[in-house]
Structure formats: C-alpha cells, structure tokens
Amino acid sequence: MENSEYLEVFIEESKEHIQSLNDQLLLLENEPNNMATVGEIFRSAHTLKGMAATMGFQDLADLTHKMENVLDAVRNNQLEINSDIIDVIFQAVDQLENMVVDIANGGNGARDVQELVKKLQQIEKNEFNSNEITEDTSNVDVSNNANNNFVNLDEFELAILDQSQEKGFSNFSITIRLNENCLLKAARVYMVFESLEQIGEVIKSNPTVQELEDEKFDLEFTVLLVTEADKNTIEESIMRISEIQSIDIQAFTSEKNNKETSKINKEEPDVNENIQKDIDNSNNNVDKGTNNTNNNASKSISNKTIRVNIDRLDGLMNLFEELVIDRGRLEQISANLKNAELQETVERMTRISGDLQSIILNMRMVPVEQVFNRFPRMVRQLSKDLGKKVNLNIIGAETELDRTVIDEIGDPLVHLIRNSLDHGIEKPDTRKAGGKEETGDLILKAYHSGNHVFIEISDDGAGINRHKVIDKAISNGVITAEESNQMTDEQVYALIMSSGFSTADKISDVSGRGVGLDVVKNTIESLGGSISIQSKEGKGSLFSIQLPLTLSIISVLLVEVEKEKYAIPLSSIIETAIINKNEILNAHNKKVIDFRGKVVPLISLKDVFEVPMTEEDSEFASVVIIRKGDKLAGLIVNKFIGQQEIVLKSLGDYLGDVFGISGATILGDGQVALIIDTNTLIN
Amino acid sequence: MEEVKTQKSIIIELDKEEYAIPVSLVGGIERMQHITRVPKTATFVKGVINLRGVVTPILDLRERFGMEVIQPTESTRIIIIHLEKYDIGFIVDAAYDVLDIDESIIEPAPKVIGTIDVDYIEGVAKVEDRLIMLLNLDKVLSFDSYEVMKERLKVE
C-alpha cells in the first residue's frame, strides 16, 4: 500500500495528539475558562481529523469532527464547559485511542461510535437551543471560518495594531499568490514569513500558520504585517523570493471600519456581508474569541527533533562498539611501536570516540514523562470512581531513562499508583475526621542519583499498620512469630510485597496494601532495580523504586568454564568463594555445600551447559553464590576472570530462548560471551 | 528477443557437491573464526560469532545435511545470509563462484539424492557438466526438517 510508509508516522503523531488532548482536557477541567487550552484542544483534534481523513480512516475522522464541533462551540462561547461535557469528550478521546491502537495493529480503525456521536451532537445542539445566538450565528461562523480575513481579531491583536499605529508603524494586509508550479508551497511560505519577519512582525495570517505549514491552502494566502517599512520595501523583499506570482499590499486599519474591511474582503463580497453581521452580532466573539496568537507562540516552542527508529540506533551502537574494539587493538599497536606521532593520533581518537560513545548512549534516553503523562488521566478517573479527592503532583518528569526501561516500567507504576489511591489515601470524611485536608496528596517524583534513577510514589494517606501486616504474614505462613519480633519496620513493610502475603479478596481487611505487589517487585527486580517502602501510620507511605540508568549495559562477573567464557550478572550474585572439593556434601543425590550456616545446592555449569572437558579436576572449586528471591544456589566454575561492564545483546530470533542463557555480549577481543540467566538455573 | 530469467547464485561446496544460494540473500563471505558455542541448541548450530557488532548464529551445513563433520580447512568459509528477521551464517567447505543460472534449466529435485530423501533441495540445475543443487533456505533453517532427516539416517 502506498500509504504504509506514512502509517507509522500517522500512528506516532496520532498518539501524541491524543496524549495532548488528554493533558489539555485535564487542564481545562481545572480552569474551564481558559480559552488558550480550548484552542490547544481544538487544534489537536483538528490536526487529528485532517490526518485521519488523509489516511482514509473515516470513523476516526468523523468522531474527531464531532468533537471538534463541540470544542468550536466552546471556543466561540456558545457552550459552557462542565464536568459532564469533559467526561463525554474524554470518552471520545478514549475511543480515538482505541481506534489508533486498532490501526496500529493492522485494523482499519472502524468502531461503532454512534452513541458517542449522538451524545456529542446533543451537547452541541443543546447549547444552540438555549443560547440566544442561534443557528444564524453558527452559519455565519462556518463561513467565517472558511474565509476569515482578519476580521476576527482578538483583543490582543487589536491592541498590537492600535499600539503600532500610535508608534507610527503601518499595518499592511499582504496577499501573496504563489506560482502555480510551486512544488514546496510550505517552504515558500516559510521564506515569505522569514523575509517579512525581518522588516516587521506578522500578526496574523489567513489561512492560519498551521494550515499554511500543512500546505492546506490553494495558492494564495494573506498575512497581516506590522512594520516601519513602506509598501515598496515589502514588495521588493517578497518578490526576491522565487515562485511568487503576485503580491498585493493593502493598508489595514483595525477599527471596525466598514470601508476598510470590505476593501480587504473585496474578493469575496458575498461573504463580506455575513462577516459584518458577525461582528455586529457578537462583539464578544472578537473580544474573547480564538486565541490565534497563542498558536504562533506554541509553534515556536516545539523542539527541533526527528524521529529515529530504535533499530537504527542499535545499529549505530553495534558499529561503534566494533570501532572501540579496533581502537583497543590500535592502542596496543601504537604502544608497541612507540611512534610519538602515532601515539598522539591514537590518543586523540580515543578521546573523540569516548565523546561519541556518550552521545550515542544519550540518544537512547527518553524522558520519563512518556510514562508519567498518562497518570493524571488515570488518577482523575480512579479518584472519581473511588469517591476520593486526590491531588496528583508530578515532579521530575524530564528525568531521562533508557528507552528499554521506559517500556517496562509503566505497568508497575500503574499498579503502585492504583494501590496508593485505593488503599493509601482515605475518603474525604475519614481524612477530615483525622484532621487532614479533604484532598489527599499523591506525589510522583523521579530523579537521577549516581548511576541510578529513582522513582518515588508517596501519599499522605493511612500508611501501613505494622501489627496488621505481621499478623497477616504469620497467619499466611510467610514468617514466624519469633522472626517478627526482630524485624525492622522496613522489613515488615517489605512483607507486603512478598508472594503469598495477601490475596485479592482479603486485601481490604488488612491495612490495605498487598494485592499483586509481589508482581511489581518481580518486574522491578527483573529490570535490575529494587523497591523499598517507608511508611508512618496515619501519615502516609513512600514507595521508592531504584532503577539502573540503562538496561543495555550491565555489570557482570566473567567466569571461565573449561575453555569457555560466561558472564554472570552482578545483580544476582551474592558472593564468590573458593572451596575445597571435600567440603561438598551429598544430600538426596544432590551436591550441596554448607555456606554460612545455610545449605546451598551446587550447580555445575560444566554439566548444565555440556561443556567439553579439557582440564583435569583440581582440588578446589570456584563457586559463585547466586540468588533468586530468597533462594540461593552455587555455580561451580573453573576460574573467575573479573568484573566488567558489558553491553547486552540478544542471541537473535533464530535461536530464540536458549535454556540458561539470557543473551550475549562482545568482549574486548571481539569474541562473543554468553550471559547466564541465573533465574532459570534456580527453580 | 525472448527474456531469459536467470538467478544469480553463489556456488558453495559441501562434500564435493555444489549448491547454490541466491546472491540477493548473501550478506557477505567471512573466513573461519572463533565461534562461541551456545549450549542446549541443535547440534548443527555451531554457536554464535560477532559480526560487526551483531551476535549472529552459525550453522554447520555439513552437520545439517548429515554429512561427515570435518575440521575447518584453509578454504572453509562462513556465508552470511540476510533474512527478513535476522542474519545467519553457514559454514561451508568453500565458496568460489557466482553463476547466472537460467531458470528454465532448473529441474525439480529428484526424489532421491544419493541415498537420502531430503526436502531442503528445491531444484537441480545442470550447468555444462556441473550439477548444482538449489537450496530451500526455509527448510535448511527448519529444526523439524533436521529431525526428520536424522530419523531417516538412523533407519538406514
């Protein structure tokens, strides 16, 4: 399909717009009168509609269109925002999201949205009936939107025009017609804008800047310019740009002077009348109406970024690592040759490639915002469902994490936030009785520290009751009564994340927390991170997650088994030991050792991996003690080589999952070493 | 003029017989190098190598086709095959030729090649006095096909 190459871009951008819709709607709910926000929402919906229609996703386009109508009504003050309307719009956004997901999965985005469309239409119509400004205006509005030529100036724009006149600047309405053969219209427009910006300031354009950029115009566009320069200068500077067919410069007066306005509008005399009517009819439209200047402002903040497929970054990284290996060889050669010039060059190369490496690594980093930005919406819904008042505060959303970690961390966080809302923060009346504010605070905070990223979720809710946790743990057989006496608070709280602590149906009896938290803990540990809990009964709790900056680089212990090298992740190693063979005991036909008072089963890597025998057995065995949760095991190897930071690589699709191996890495000599998956070795 | 469809192929040698792999799939030809064994995989999977930063699995075609396994020689090569989802390498006795094989002279694989009935040969082409077998790479990579072949070998 011809469209397929654009499909990916479409999906990505749609997701962005849907996210922006979600964000802005939440904002709007808090400040229903903020027209800038409405404008923002409208723009996102509008762009989405345009894209969907271009790509041929009719249902998506239709729904956005209906949504846009409602928003337009709001924007033009024909409709007052309330919580119900926002709910319906949220539903619509959810449907949009579902459609986009469907499209991403290869569907056609078709969905039954009749009911929603009806609701949206009702909202739209309801207002029209109750409002004084009836259909007449709405008609005018439509035509107005289509042909608006700077009559719909807002307060801000009018102010600028007035001021400029006071200062002796002139205002011009410039109509520019592009050559029919012009290929890159948007680029020409850009050039026009740029040269205009040099001599003055563009206040407004028709069509809007957005539409111009998207090439959603024919050949002609008009801009409103405030400048010190005279007509000729303007004309000269614009005609310098190629592919401009003609230019028409008119003086522009901001007063609602019929003559002036009609002069500008003389190309469309039939609409003109309507527009005049519009002005007279609803002056407030001009005053509080569209915030087009905001449009321009928000344009300029957008970052200069490009989208790069992560596979390409991986490819870059791979090639770069090869370069590093060769660099190592080169360093060795130059050290041997002792040629000053060569050594200098190699040193320079080493420095440059070091910089290069950090840049490449940084490119894989994404702000944690990508995960965080779905939470405001979730918290809103949940707190509504639960009948609680919650104020979510997000700190440090710009903190960067490796892309791979970002992809994995979402679900555990959702779980923890739900948990905090469900069991942490109390109902408003309970809070009041306890002398707290009715609205609970939920703080989501991310920050860097050393080689780690911390994500903290804290609430000022009920906290954890130590005794209840201990009772529960004892009755479920997680710990014994004796053990419980010696546990610190933190150890007790950690119990709620141990498997088998609590089951879903019983959870509400206990202090509250517990369901599925073991899953959260496991996920985080599989990412090489850890989680800890602090809590004060009645004051609230803090869940702190520590994550490695990146998953693609891990610390390992390199070991030798016969002639083969393997890497064991440091995160799963407790310690290493060299033991005498006669310390190995047999228990039920299994080899075990007594390790610090604990019986630890031994696993011979040589046997597990069927390594060809080459060496004679020695009297001593090197053992790596590994752990999985609370279980320990000792891996027998031949030799410890040392600790190293390695880049994690997959074995590829062809081999798929290999027992006991989680991946591979490339060593300094260019050879591949396999990384041992310690979790599968302990069962 | 009638259009003659040809298939440009790399000719590889295995146990003195010649096989063809379409050039379009070949990503490179490497000399024999250290291969890291991957435990608990099929015996014809020799392990993985570092191919310009990508960990690439290597198959021994002799082993795969049930031929006698020999020590690598000077002429032993690793043929890197580019597939849609991954790259993979084949160890072959030698790779020395690129031939345009006229598609019209390709005949379906005879039921019996040597003594073993195999599914990984797609066709046979006779070029001058050489007999060249065209490989079906999907089947070559298939673990099932390997199992079937091993069973047959055992029966014999």
Side-chain angles (χ1 to χ4, degrees):
Chain A
M1 217 171 101
E2 206 187 341
N3 273 345
S4 64
E5 59 182 297
Y6 303 113
L7 194 61
E8 207 173 310
V9 180
F10 167 74
I11 290 165
E12 280 300 315
E13 288 193 357
S14 303
K15 281 183 187 162
E16 251 167 46
H17 282 295
I18 287 172
Q19 184 56 49
S20 137
L21 283 174
N22 272 328
D23 292 348
Q24 298 293 340
L25 279 170
L26 283 174
L27 270 182
L28 186 66
E29 192 172 34
N30 290 333
E31 334 169 14
N33 293 321
N34 191 338
M35 283 303 146
T37 317
V38 179
E40 200 67 45
I41 298 170
F42 183 80
R43 251 192 311 284
S44 279
H46 184 78
T47 317
L48 204 55
K49 180 182 85 172
M51 291 194 308
T54 320
M55 297 294 292
F57 299 118
Q58 211 46 53
D59 283 5
L60 190 56
D62 283 349
L63 186 58
T64 17
H65 180 71
K66 292 287 174 327
M67 222 169 91
E68 207 185 305
N69 285 349
V70 173
L71 291 166
D72 200 34
V74 174
R75 207 162 70 143
N76 293 325
N77 293 316
Q78 291 152 2
L79 195 60
E80 201 152 314
I81 279 289
N82 59 37
S83 188
D84 292 338
I85 296 182
I86 289 197
D87 274 344
V88 176
I89 299 179
F90 264 134
Q91 280 172 24
V93 174
D94 278 345
Q95 284 294 343
L96 292 178
E97 194 169 357
N98 289 338
M99 288 173 176
V100 172
V101 169
D102 181 42
I103 292 167
N105 293 334
N108 59 4
R111 269 190 112 79
D112 185 19
V113 289
Q114 288 303 324
E115 205 175 324
L116 255 178
V117 167
K118 218 187 275 169
K119 270 193 208 162
L120 285 170
Q121 269 167 345
Q122 264 167 8
I123 294 177
E124 201 187 334
K125 273 197 200 119
N126 266 350
E127 266 325 292
F128 282 161
N129 294 339
S130 63
N131 204 319
E132 282 301 304
I133 312 161
T134 45
E135 282 205 11
D136 185 27
T137 331
S138 77
N139 276 341
V140 175
D141 252 6
V142 173
S143 58
N144 193 8
N145 274 346
N147 299 304
N148 116 43
N149 254 358
F150 312 139
V151 201
N152 230 354
L153 294 173
D154 65 21
E155 209 170 1
F156 180 65
E157 288 157 352
L158 288 171
I160 292 184
L161 292 179
D162 287 345
Q163 272 175 18
S164 74
Q165 265 172 342
E166 281 165 26
K167 285 189 185 163
F169 288 8
S170 4
N171 305 330
F172 290 110
S173 153
I174 307 168
T175 306
I176 294 151
R177 194 176 169 80
L178 295 176
N179 202 315
E180 262 175 52
N181 303 325
C182 178
L183 283 178
L184 294 165
K185 292 197 286 184
R188 289 295 162 213
V189 170
Y190 176 76
M191 290 169 77
V192 169
F193 270 70
E194 189 149 79
S195 55
L196 286 179
E197 300 279 359
Q198 279 171 10
I199 49 175
E201 196 183 347
V202 177
I203 305 277
K204 202 173 171 127
S205 73
N206 176 41
T208 65
V209 179
Q210 185 70 49
E211 283 165 331
L212 287 174
E213 271 180 16
D214 297 344
E215 298 200 352
K216 283 183 194 146
F217 67 105
D218 204 15
L219 285 170
E220 216 172 62
F221 63 96
T222 311
V223 294
L224 185 50
L225 181 77
V226 177
T227 177
E228 270 182 300
D230 57 24
K231 245 182 172 177
N232 289 343
T233 327
I234 301 171
E235 190 166 339
E236 225 170 86
S237 73
I238 289 183
M239 287 317 275
R240 240 179 281 154
I241 301 163
S242 50
E243 292 190 314
I244 302 279
Q245 184 151 34
S246 65
I247 168 171
D248 175 29
I249 304 174
Q250 306 274 355
F252 182 84
T253 333
S254 62
E255 261 84 41
K256 281 157 217 138
N257 185 327
N258 282 352
K259 254 192 253 164
E260 278 300 326
T261 338
S262 56
K263 193 169 159 198
I264 294 161
N265 283 320
K266 68 180 160 211
E267 294 103 329
E268 298 104 358
D270 49 332
V271 229
N272 203 12
E273 199 191 323
N274 275 344
I275 293 171
Q276 290 306 320
K277 199 161 113 200
D278 184 31
I279 290 183
D280 299 334
N281 246 0
S282 46
N283 267 336
N284 59 346
N285 238 4
V286 180
D287 293 331
K288 299 178 196 164
T290 56
N291 257 338
N292 254 332
T293 35
N294 267 9
N295 189 353
N296 294 345
S298 73
K299 242 358 290 163
S300 59
I301 336 169
S302 68
N303 278 332
K304 281 189 181 161
T305 53
I306 53 164
R307 268 174 232 281
V308 181
N309 190 320
I310 195 133
D311 289 346
R312 287 198 188 174
L313 286 185
D314 286 344
L316 182 64
M317 188 83 181
N318 285 340
L319 288 178
F320 181 76
E321 279 152 18
E322 284 296 285
L323 206 62
V324 171
I325 291 167
D326 285 342
R327 184 188 75 192
R329 290 198 191 120
L330 211 54
E331 276 172 315
Q332 208 133 41
I333 294 168
S334 86
N336 290 341
L337 288 178
K338 295 211 168 56
N339 178 324
E341 225 172 316
L342 178 64
Q343 273 172 332
E344 204 177 298
T345 318
V346 170
E347 266 168 36
R348 264 180 60 89
M349 207 181 102
T350 309
R351 269 200 304 276
I352 293 172
S353 57
D355 291 350
L356 200 56
Q357 182 170 31
S358 57
I359 290 177
I360 294 175
L361 280 178
N362 268 330
M363 282 200 294
R364 298 177 52 94
M365 305 294 269
V366 207
V368 74
E369 194 178 357
Q370 285 203 357
V371 183
F372 281 8
N373 58 16
R374 63 172 139 143
F375 293 145
R377 180 69 206 285
M378 194 185 92
V379 169
R380 173 188 184 268
Q381 193 60 45
L382 260 182
S383 51
K384 236 180 188 182
D385 293 350
L386 293 167
K388 293 177 180 177
K389 287 186 179 168
V390 181
N391 182 18
L392 174 68
N393 198 354
I394 293 180
I395 303 168
E398 71 286 345
T399 311
E400 288 186 329
L401 262 169
D402 189 281
R403 176 65 195 252
T404 31
V405 185
I406 294 271
D407 291 344
E408 298 290 327
I409 195 64
D411 288 345
L413 286 181
V414 167
H415 221 110
L416 287 175
I417 289 178
R418 278 177 165 274
N419 193 64
S420 278
L421 284 177
D422 200 3
H423 309 300
I425 291 171
E426 315 92 326
K427 297 219 175 225
D429 43 346
T430 323
R431 289 183 66 91
K432 222 174 180 180
K436 293 184 188 174
E437 291 276 328
E438 273 190 29
T439 310
D441 278 322
L442 184 65
I443 300 170
L444 191 58
K445 183 176 172 187
Y447 58 94
H448 280 284
S449 177
N451 238 347
H452 288 92
V453 170
F454 288 84
I455 299 177
E456 292 178 355
I457 297 157
S458 56
D459 62 61
D460 63 347
I464 304 173
N465 183 323
R466 180 189 163 108
H467 299 293
K468 282 188 183 168
V469 172
I470 287 178
D471 291 350
K472 183 84 187 170
I474 293 175
S475 69
N476 280 355
V478 179
I479 54 164
T480 62
E482 293 84 62
E483 280 174 328
S484 73
N485 293 330
Q486 285 161 22
M487 292 174 91
T488 63
D489 280 353
E490 205 155 316
Q491 282 170 324
V492 172
Y493 302 146
L495 284 176
I496 64 175
M497 291 183 297
S498 52
S499 54
F501 170 74
S502 179
T503 51
D505 50 24
K506 288 178 190 160
I507 183 192
S508 40
D509 321 335
V510 204
S511 69
R513 309 180 181 254
V515 63
L517 284 182
D518 56 325
V519 180
V520 172
K521 191 182 175 196
N522 280 342
T523 316
I524 288 166
E525 283 181 353
S526 74
L527 289 171
S530 62
I531 177 166
S532 66
I533 307 172
Q534 291 162 33
S535 181
K536 231 180 187 153
E537 211 189 335
K539 296 277 187 219
S541 354
L542 171 89
F543 287 74
S544 178
I545 302 169
Q546 182 184 352
L547 289 166
L549 264 186
T550 166
L551 283 187
S552 49
I553 295 180
I554 58 171
S555 296
V556 295
L557 175 71
L558 277 182
V559 297
E560 218 170 60
V561 182
E562 300 297 341
K563 286 276 169 264
E564 298 182 349
K565 288 185 184 122
Y566 290 92
I568 306 173
L570 274 194
S571 56
S572 58
I573 297 179
I574 293 190
E575 63 175 288
T576 57
I578 292 177
I579 53 163
N580 198 309
K581 284 267 164 78
N582 57 30
E583 285 175 49
I584 299 175
L585 314 167
N586 272 312
H588 296 289
N589 260 339
K590 271 184 173 172
K591 284 179 177 175
V592 296
I593 50 165
D594 183 357
F595 177 74
R596 302 195 196 287
K598 265 188 176 173
V599 174
V600 174
L602 286 182
I603 301 166
S604 166
L605 281 188
K606 199 159 52 185
D607 297 344
V608 174
F609 292 149
E610 296 153 351
V611 183
M613 291 275 264
T614 49
E615 275 175 38
E616 277 300 303
D617 272 6
S618 74
E619 193 183 341
F620 294 96
S622 304
V623 178
V624 183
I625 310 288
I626 55 166
R627 85 185 163 103
K628 175 195 183 182
D630 308 331
K631 289 181 194 155
L632 299 182
L635 300 179
I636 306 177
V637 301
N638 285 71
K639 211 163 101 189
F640 305 130
I641 298 174
Q643 185 186 332
Q644 206 173 323
E645 302 254 297
I646 56 151
V647 177
L648 193 72
K649 288 173 187 270
S650 110
L651 278 180
D653 285 349
Y654 181 67
L655 293 178
D657 283 338
V658 178
F659 173 79
I661 302 294
S662 63
T665 188
I666 294 166
L667 300 176
D669 59 2
Q671 290 188 6
V672 180
L674 302 178
I675 300 167
I676 294 175
D677 181 2
T678 52
N679 283 341
T680 56
L681 293 182
I682 307 179
N683 42 22
Chain B
M1 204 178 107
E2 207 180 319
E3 200 183 329
V4 184
K5 273 196 175 168
T6 60
Q7 194 178 332
K8 217 183 229 334
S9 299
I10 297 233
I11 308 301
I12 57 168
E13 191 185 286
L14 281 171
D15 206 11
K16 303 201 174 58
E17 284 175 347
E18 291 183 308
Y19 296 83
I21 299 172
V23 164
S24 55
L25 294 175
V26 175
I29 300 175
E30 306 280 324
R31 287 187 174 276
M32 200 57 189
Q33 51 186 279
H34 174 86
I35 298 175
T36 304
R37 194 182 63 92
V38 180
K40 306 255 175 183
T41 48
T43 49
F44 67 88
V45 176
K46 280 294 127 190
V48 288
I49 62 162
N50 163 24
L51 185 73
R52 283 176 280 285
V54 180
V55 176
T56 310
I58 302 298
L59 313 189
D60 187 340
L61 281 198
R62 270 182 172 263
E63 183 110 38
R64 170 66 185 85
F65 297 161
M67 299 165 181
E68 180 201 357
V69 178
I70 57 161
Q71 283 297 313
T73 66
E74 256 308 291
S75 65
T76 303
R77 293 286 179 273
I78 298 175
I79 311 275
I80 306 298
I81 308 287
H82 267 320
L83 295 172
E84 207 174 306
K85 284 188 187 149
Y86 45 80
D87 287 1
I88 204 154
F90 292 149
I91 303 176
V92 299
D93 290 358
Y96 44 72
D97 209 353
V98 178
L99 267 190
D100 277 324
I101 298 176
D102 186 342
E103 284 192 356
S104 63
I105 66 164
I106 299 176
E107 290 167 32
K111 273 266 148 69
V112 177
I113 291 180
T115 47
I116 322 159
D117 194 9
V118 291
D119 58 359
Y120 50 78
I121 304 292
E122 204 162 49
V124 177
K126 201 163 178 290
V127 180
E128 288 154 24
D129 55 349
R130 299 155 74 182
L131 199 62
I132 293 167
M133 282 165 274
L134 282 76
L135 291 177
N136 177 339
L137 289 183
D138 281 343
K139 287 287 191 308
V140 172
L141 295 175
S142 149
F143 290 103
D144 292 341
S145 163
Y146 178 64
E147 292 304 321
V148 171
M149 186 206 72
K150 254 196 342 199
E151 283 306 306
R152 294 220 177 113
L153 274 180
K154 261 186 217 157
V155 172
E156 281 165 29

